[in-house]
Amino acid sequence: MSTDAIVLLKEDHKEMRRLFKAFQDAEKGLLIENVTHHVEEEEQEWFPKVRDALGRKQLQEIGEKMIALRADAPRTPTAPRRAPPRPAPPRPAPPRPAPPHPAILHFPLLVSDIW
């Protein structure tokens, strides 16, 4: 199985076409026509541009992420979506060191001054 993102999207489109043929009727005709137009536009205009711009390696990386995310994707239109994990709260900044006592600042005494 390919991990190329465009190959995966084309496979999804192929599956959509198969489902549309199975469920096509007069009431759903306009929806199917609009989605079919969208699919054709993506495959004929956008996918070639994306493939040229990103290259094989980057498309495979994107495809691997798509495959991983499909496990949590809703399976039906009414299926609830899982909320993305919340980022960890920011860690508090380490405490600043206490400033030196004012007496030390005004007491520039060296050992050589004493001896």
Side-chain angles (χ1 to χ4, degrees):
M1 179 174 162
S2 176
T3 58
D4 182 300
I6 292 188
V7 170
L8 292 170
L9 291 169
K10 284 186 175 184
E11 289 172 1
D12 287 347
H13 286 175
K14 189 184 292 185
E15 177 67 8
M16 286 174 38
R17 286 187 191 101
R18 186 190 69 73
L19 291 170
F20 283 164
K21 286 179 184 175
F23 295 107
Q24 191 167 14
D25 61 28
E27 292 177 16
K28 298 175 186 162
L30 183 59
L31 172 64
I32 291 172
E33 182 181 327
N34 286 331
V35 174
T36 301
H37 172 76
H38 171 85
V39 166
E40 290 170 355
E41 184 178 38
E42 278 186 352
E43 290 184 354
Q44 294 170 9
E45 296 177 26
W46 289 101
F47 288 179
K49 292 176 183 177
V50 171
R51 185 174 296 287
D52 290 342
L54 297 182
R56 185 174 178 87
K57 182 179 178 188
Q58 203 169 359
L59 286 172
Q60 286 179 334
E61 290 170 359
I62 294 169
E64 289 170 2
K65 290 177 186 174
M66 289 169 58
I67 290 169
L69 290 172
R70 282 185 178 170
D72 290 335
R75 299 287 181 239
T76 65
T78 58
R81 294 184 179 181
R82 290 185 182 171
R86 292 181 178 217
R91 290 185 173 173
R96 292 180 142 182
H101 191 275
I104 294 174
L105 293 175
H106 299 290
F107 196 64
L109 187 63
L110 301 174
V111 173
S112 62
D113 291 338
I114 299 172
W115 295 101

